[in-house]
Amino acid sequence: MSLSLYDISVPAFLRGFASLTEILKKGEAFADEKGIAHKELLEARLIEDMLPLTGQIQRASDTAKFVPIRVGGLDNLSMADDEVTFADLHARIEKTVAFLNTVVPASMADRDDAEVILKTRSGETKFTARSYVTGFALPNFYFHVTTAYAILRHKGVPIGKMDYLGRS
C-alpha cells in the first residue's frame, strides 16, 4: 500500500506540534526560573528580518492547517495571528491540532494531481497537491518548527535534539 498525502502530512504535523508544545513549556519554565520576562522570549528572533517566536508558531500552524484545506477542499479555519503569550501559543497549537484531528484521510485521497494555487503578495504559485505537500508544506512546516526551537535554544532554554524530535 502506498503512502497517501494524508499519511505523509497530517501525522507529521501532529507529531511536530506535540514536540513544539513541550519545547514551549520548557521555554516558559526556563523564563520563570531565570526571571526572564516572557515577552523577551516570545518576541525573540534569530535575526531582525525573521519572524519572532510567536510568528514562527503562527506560520507552522497556518502551514499545517492549509494542507487539508487546500488539498482536501476543507473549509478554512480562520486564526487572527494575535498571540502574545505562551498560553495564546498553546491555544493556537491546540486549535490547529483539534482541526487536524477532524481531517478524514479520504478527503485527501486520490488528490495527488489536483491543482493547488498558493497566493502570496508576490503572486501565485501553482502546484500539484503532491508537489505542494512534499515540496512546500512539509519543508515550510519544519522550517518554522526548527526556527522556533532555535530561537529558544539561542536564548538559553535547555532543550536538545530529542526535544525537537519528540517521542514516538
Side-chain angles (χ1 to χ4, degrees):
M1 182 171 136
S2 64
L3 289 173
S4 69
L5 294 179
Y6 175 92
D7 293 333
I8 63 173
S9 62
V10 174
F13 297 147
L14 293 172
R15 182 174 178 170
F17 284 126
S19 296
L20 196 51
T21 295
E22 295 306 311
I23 289 167
L24 287 174
K25 286 179 184 176
K26 288 184 177 189
E28 184 174 10
F30 175 79
D32 292 344
E33 177 187 319
K34 300 294 184 185
I36 299 169
H38 288 185
K39 184 176 179 177
E40 182 179 331
L41 293 183
L42 294 164
E43 294 180 358
R45 303 167 189 259
L46 290 179
I47 194 163
E48 193 56 37
D49 67 349
M50 291 181 78
L51 292 171
L53 178 63
T54 54
Q56 301 301 330
I57 306 305
Q58 292 161 350
R59 297 298 72 74
S61 167
D62 286 346
T63 299
K65 74 176 178 124
F66 278 129
V67 166
I69 290 167
R70 291 179 175 141
V71 173
L74 302 181
D75 290 334
N76 189 20
L77 174 64
S78 181
M79 295 188 194
D81 291 347
D82 58 1
E83 293 80 16
V84 294
T85 66
F86 280 104
D88 293 341
L89 292 177
H90 286 295
R92 173 136 182 170
I93 291 170
E94 290 167 8
K95 185 175 181 180
T96 307
V97 166
F99 171 73
L100 292 172
N101 282 326
T102 69
V103 176
V104 177
S107 68
M108 296 172 62
D110 301 319
R111 304 274 304 149
D112 293 49
D113 295 323
E115 184 177 69
V116 172
I117 300 173
L118 181 64
K119 297 178 183 181
T120 65
R121 285 176 254 161
S122 59
E124 292 183 352
T125 304
K126 293 182 181 183
F127 298 92
T128 64
R130 177 167 290 282
S131 68
Y132 168 70
V133 170
T134 61
F136 177 81
L138 285 168
N140 194 54
F141 176 76
Y142 286 118
F143 172 84
H144 291 293
V145 172
T146 300
T147 303
Y149 166 89
I151 288 169
L152 291 173
R153 186 71 181 103
H154 178 70
K155 295 302 266 180
V157 177
I159 52 179
K161 183 177 182 178
M162 292 311 297
D163 295 297
Y164 174 84
L165 292 175
R167 308 291 184 234
S168 300

